[in-house]
Every structure is written in C-alpha cells, then in structure tokens.
Amino acid sequence: MDRLLFFITTVCGKIQVVSDLFWDFPTNFEWYSSIPIIGNFSLAIILLIGSGIYFSIRLRFVQVRKFKRGIEVLKNSKAKTGISPLASFFLSTAMRVGPGNILGVTGAVSVGGPGALLWMWISAFFGMATAFVESTLSQIFKEEKNGEYIGGMSFYGRRLLKNSAVVGVVLSLMYIIYAILCFPAQGFNTVSAMGQICSIISGTELSTTHLVYWIGFVIVIVATVAVSFGGTKKISKVTDVLVPIMAIVYVVTVLVLIVINFSRIPWFFYAIFTEAFKPEAVFGGAFGVALMQGVKRGLMSNEAGQGTITMPAAASDAAHPCDQGCVQAIGVFLDTIVICTLTGFVVIMGRVWLTDEADAWFELGKLPKYLASVAELTPGTAFNSIVTLLVSLCFGLFAFTCLLGFMSFSEICANRISKSTAFINVIRIIDIAVICFGMLTSIVGMDLGALWDLSDFANILIAYCNIPLLYIGFKYVKMAEEHFEKNDGTPFTSKVIGTDVEIWDRKANLNE
C-alpha cells in the first residue's frame, strides 16, 4: 500500500509541475513577474478573463441585457427533439455545480485569502459572456442522432477548422482525457460523502475501511453505469430531480447559517474588498496569489471557456441558438455568484484563521477546513450535526451528478471517434476503472490533494484547446446574436450566418 501511495503521489506530482507551468506561465519567469501590475497576470488569466472582457464588449454585455430572456426561456421550456432548455440547464448544472463549489472555494480562500472570492466573482461575470459564446456556437453546429441532439467543442471545432475529421477526433479525445483526469476526485468525493453521512447518523466515526464504504462503492458504480449508459434523455431525467434538490438544500442550509451569524456579514464584505489586492501575511500577502486562486477555482467551478458544458448546451431543443447561450450564462451566475458565494460566506464568516485553532485549520484538507468553518458558525453540537449532515448530502450529490455527466459525454465523444462497439466498451471500462480508483483512494485512507492536481491540469488543458475555437467561431456567434436582436420572426437558418447548418434549416422547414 505504501508503494502504491508513493507511486500515485509521484505521478500526480509530475502532473502538478506541468499544470503549474500551464497556469503560471510566464509569471514563473523573473523578468516578467517583475513588471509592475502586468507581471501578476499569467497567460491563463489573460486568456480566461481577457476573453470574457472581449466577448462582453463585442456583445454589449449580453450577460446583463439578456439575463431576463434566459429566465423566460427556462420558464417556457419545451422540446420536440432531444431535451428542453430547462433539462439542458439542469444537466449542465449537474456537471458545473460539483464538489469544487465547496472544496474549490475553501481552497481558494485558505491559500489566497478572502479577496480570492472577489476575483472569482469578476471571472464569473465575464465568464457569463464566454459561456454565451461557446453555448451558442454549440447550438449553431449541433447534429441529430437517434432522436437526440448532440454537439459541443469537438463538433464545432471540426466545422470551424475546414471540417477536418482529425480535428473532431483530437478534440473528442481531449474531452475523454479531461474526464479521466477528473473522475478520480469525483469518485473519491462521492464515497467519502456517503461514509461521512453514515458516521453522522450512527454517531460514531467510521473508518474508511468500514463495510459502509464498500457498500457505497458498489452503489455508486451500479448507479453510475445504469444511468449514464442510457443516453442524454435518461441522464436528464435524473438530473431534473437531483439538481433542484441539491441546490435548494445547500442554499437553504447556508442561508440559515448566514441569518444566525448576521452580525458577521459587514466583516465578510470588508475582508473581501480589502484583501483582494493585498492579502494578509498569513495568506502569503501577494496580490497575484489571490488573483490566481480566484480565477483558477472560478474556472474549476463554473467551467466557462473550457468547452465542457457545450455538450449539454447542444442537446437542447432551443428556438434559437442564442436562447441557449442566455440560459448557459445564467448557469455560470448560479454556480459562482450564488453557490460559490454561499460557500465563501461559510469559510470567511467562520474566520477560523483568526482563532487559536488557526495553525491546525491550515493543516486540514479542504473539506475538513470547510466543516471546521461550519462548526464555528453553528451553536450547539446537535445543530452542527444536522448542518454537517445536509452539507455532506449536497457534497455527495454534487460529486455523483458530475460523474453522470462525465460518463455520458465521454461516450458521446467516443462515438465521435469510432462507431466500433469494442472501442466504446474500452472507453466505458477505462472510465469505470478510474472511478473505482478514485473511490479506493478514499477507502484506503489516502489524501485527496494529489487527485485535485489532476483536475487542475485537466481544466487548463482543455481551456487552452477551446478558447482559440471561440475566437475563430465568434463571427458566427455575432451574426446569430444580431439576428436574435432583430426579433423579426424570421427563423435562424444557413442564410443568417452564411454557412450550412442543416439542423436549423430542417427546423425552419418543419415550422413553415
């Protein structure tokens, strides 16, 4: 077991080095980092926030102007083919609202200080425009298969790059690699949450090797396979139920904590805005650290610019490509401005780093840090147990819905590469094996840190693949948005953007 731990830690350590290079370049060069102000911005930050600013300006802050339109689309949601915009929203939220909404925010605050949350908000605001662009693009170039719409980064990537089959295969493979790198952490989180829930209910701390963890192991695998192999419609039926439950339970639970600790709210905002540019020494005291943590964890949470949410966006039977763009922009808002902010309330208002337990708190893992902050805000042991139980339930659902999404869309990408049943089964087996590996790391008592590094690497790797495509395809998004703004009753067709979009032409003919 020690050899296995050493091997995994070593491999993840090597990946972390590469991940840090992608995230930090060129701030890891002294000549660049010494440049005033600019030296704090890595290429990753410039691309992610810079792209969001660019798209926001070019689209005249569509994330603000069309926010109400997105709500209306969700309210009047229906579908003839594929799934409805609302079902697509729930499916994308299932993938977007994951353990990172708790672990990522906790990690960002514990490393970069409360100010990291401000940068998370800023990245999310401009990320809403990026989400609009990539989701609209996925709608424009979506395809139909077996009564369902399919599409996403690998689909619009192929169309934008001279309809190259090689491009489609490479981008599909990139998503599969992305999912494989993310699976271990999600498997770990799912089974850990189940064990935590059983410990709270039983009133005793259960060891990770307890039978409960092995039962949870089997349940997660069976449930994931049963649901994810049923196609997008089957998964959307599950997420239609789970997403509202986990979102409402988490929001209500944290709101109760905020009401109980109402007097700490002014300090919460004071800490965020005063430490966004100059964190306390205990957090490193560097502006660049707060900035990097906010953007990095914001990306891991809302996934704007990664292209990973484009597949559920493409599955929607939207009336216009831009309708789904508006809906996905709201998804970023819900994920970061709402859910992540609530987590930030708990960690920052708990302010454990200002207590006598500060040193011990910094040594804890991300989830124990969060639960320790919860304990600071909950009066009484019984109430704390109830809150911890509810948070653990949400945490487990966050991880499980992410597994469903990754499994389903990995299979769509695998089909994009090859129709061979043998190849599809190989991808399925690899996915299941990696999920099992993640759960086993929890059962044998390993730390999650190394697995988190894999997710970090996966996030920035796929973002670097997707963002250039958004610039290439932006001319089509802009033409679609101008047609959307006219609202003259004419259908969206190939004539609008000057390139073939068979699905939209067919829809227009059916509606005549």
Side-chain angles (χ1 to χ4, degrees):
M1 189 61 66
D2 290 338
R3 289 182 179 179
L4 176 62
L5 176 59
F6 175 77
F7 173 75
I8 295 171
T9 304
T10 302
V11 171
C12 291
K14 299 295 184 183
I15 292 178
Q16 184 183 10
V17 171
V18 180
S19 175
D20 289 343
L21 178 63
F22 273 86
W23 273 107
D24 298 338
F25 178 84
T27 58
N28 40 15
F29 290 98
E30 186 176 350
W31 65 267
Y32 181 84
S33 61
S34 61
I35 301 174
I37 302 178
I38 298 296
N40 290 293
F41 296 86
S42 69
L43 178 61
I45 288 178
I46 292 172
L47 277 177
L48 292 168
I49 295 186
S51 296
I53 293 173
Y54 173 78
F55 294 139
S56 295
I57 293 173
R58 289 294 308 277
L59 297 171
R60 295 174 295 124
F61 291 90
V62 66
Q63 66 268 51
V64 177
R65 293 189 300 106
K66 295 298 180 180
F67 191 89
K68 183 179 178 181
R69 171 64 181 176
I71 298 295
E72 291 173 351
V73 172
L74 292 174
K75 286 171 58 179
N76 302 315
S77 190
K78 57 184 179 179
K80 294 180 180 178
T81 304
I83 60 178
S84 69
L86 180 61
S88 173
F89 175 76
F90 283 146
L91 181 55
S92 60
T93 301
M95 296 176 65
R96 183 182 275 129
V97 178
N101 290 76
I102 293 177
L103 302 184
V105 178
T106 303
V109 172
S110 64
V111 174
L117 193 59
L118 175 63
W119 296 111
M120 205 174 290
W121 290 339
I122 292 173
S123 68
F125 175 76
F126 292 112
M128 290 171 71
T130 305
F132 176 90
V133 172
E134 62 184 0
S135 299
T136 300
L137 204 55
S138 70
Q139 273 285 317
I140 291 173
F141 294 112
K142 67 185 180 182
E143 299 175 11
E144 186 178 345
K145 179 184 177 184
N146 299 329
E148 295 183 356
Y149 288 129
I150 56 175
M153 180 178 66
S154 61
F155 291 76
Y156 60 68
R158 174 175 177 169
R159 287 292 305 274
L160 294 173
L161 298 176
K162 300 180 179 179
N163 207 27
S164 169
V166 173
V167 170
V169 169
V170 170
L171 291 175
S172 295
L173 185 60
M174 285 302 304
Y175 183 87
I176 292 173
I177 293 173
Y178 162 80
I180 289 173
L181 290 174
C182 292
F183 273 137
Q186 305 305 340
F188 182 105
N189 291 327
T190 305
V191 76
S192 295
M194 294 178 73
Q196 177 76 19
I197 291 170
C198 291
S199 292
I200 295 171
I201 293 175
S202 65
T204 58
E205 188 65 33
L206 302 177
S207 69
T208 57
T209 56
H210 193 277
L211 180 62
V212 163
Y213 280 82
W214 289 106
I215 293 174
F217 178 98
V218 174
I219 291 174
V220 170
I221 291 298
V222 171
T224 302
V225 171
V227 177
S228 61
F229 288 178
T232 306
K233 287 185 177 180
K234 188 172 184 180
I235 289 181
S236 69
K237 288 180 180 179
V238 175
T239 54
D240 283 354
V241 175
L242 292 183
V243 169
I245 290 175
M246 68 186 194
I248 292 172
V249 170
Y250 188 70
V251 169
V252 171
T253 301
V254 177
L255 285 178
V256 170
L257 292 180
I258 292 172
V259 170
I260 293 174
N261 297 274
F262 185 80
S263 61
R264 299 192 183 196
I265 292 179
W267 186 86
F268 168 80
F269 288 103
Y270 171 81
I272 289 174
F273 288 101
T274 57
E275 297 190 25
F277 300 94
K278 190 176 181 181
E280 295 177 39
V282 71
F283 298 110
F287 160 65
V289 175
L291 174 67
M292 178 64 76
Q293 286 298 316
V295 175
K296 182 185 289 188
R297 298 311 167 195
L299 171 65
M300 175 172 280
S301 175
N302 62 56
E303 302 187 32
Q306 287 183 205
T308 50
I309 299 301
T310 57
M311 281 186 278
S316 167
D317 187 9
H320 190 284
C322 292
D323 275 337
Q324 198 61 36
C326 296
V327 167
Q328 296 307 109
I330 292 176
V332 174
F333 179 87
L334 171 66
D335 175 271
T336 306
I337 306 299
V338 177
I339 304 293
C340 286
T341 298
L342 291 175
T343 299
F345 264 114
V346 172
V347 179
I348 296 171
M349 289 172 64
R351 56 192 182 195
V352 184
W353 65 88
L354 297 178
T355 70
D356 294 337
E357 303 297 323
D359 292 338
W361 186 77
F362 278 111
E363 293 298 319
L364 295 173
K366 294 183 180 68
L367 184 57
K369 275 192 181 82
Y370 179 78
L371 295 177
S373 300
V374 169
E376 283 290 318
L377 299 175
T378 50
T381 304
F383 184 63
N384 181 52
S385 295
I386 294 173
V387 172
T388 303
L389 176 64
L390 293 174
V391 168
S392 298
L393 173 63
C394 294
F395 186 76
L397 290 176
F398 286 172
F400 179 65
T401 55
C402 282
L403 284 181
L404 295 182
F406 287 141
M407 282 287 291
S408 173
F409 295 115
S410 288
E411 187 165 335
I412 289 176
C413 287
N415 274 283
R416 186 69 169 170
I417 296 172
S418 172
K419 303 297 181 184
S420 167
T421 302
F423 177 75
I424 303 301
N425 286 333
V426 167
I427 297 300
R428 287 174 173 175
I429 291 171
I430 292 174
D431 287 348
I432 294 170
V434 177
I435 294 172
C436 289
F437 164 75
M439 290 191 288
L440 287 173
T441 57
S442 173
I443 291 173
V444 300
M446 286 177 56
D447 181 63
L448 176 62
L451 303 182
W452 194 261
D453 295 333
L454 295 179
S455 296
D456 263 354
F457 178 60
N459 286 327
I460 192 59
L461 188 64
I462 202 162
Y464 274 129
C465 292
N466 185 57
I467 290 177
L469 296 175
L470 301 186
Y471 282 98
I472 295 171
F474 183 69
K475 60 182 179 180
Y476 299 117
V477 175
K478 183 62 178 173
M479 286 186 281
E481 187 263 342
E482 289 172 350
H483 177 264
F484 186 57
E485 292 285 356
K486 288 180 182 178
N487 194 28
D488 57 4
T490 59
F492 179 82
T493 62
S494 298
K495 293 180 181 179
V496 174
I497 60 174
T499 191
D500 179 53
V501 284
E502 180 184 349
I503 294 296
W504 292 99
D505 290 342
R506 192 189 310 160
K507 286 187 67 171
N509 291 331
L510 290 173
N511 292 330
E512 285 183 354

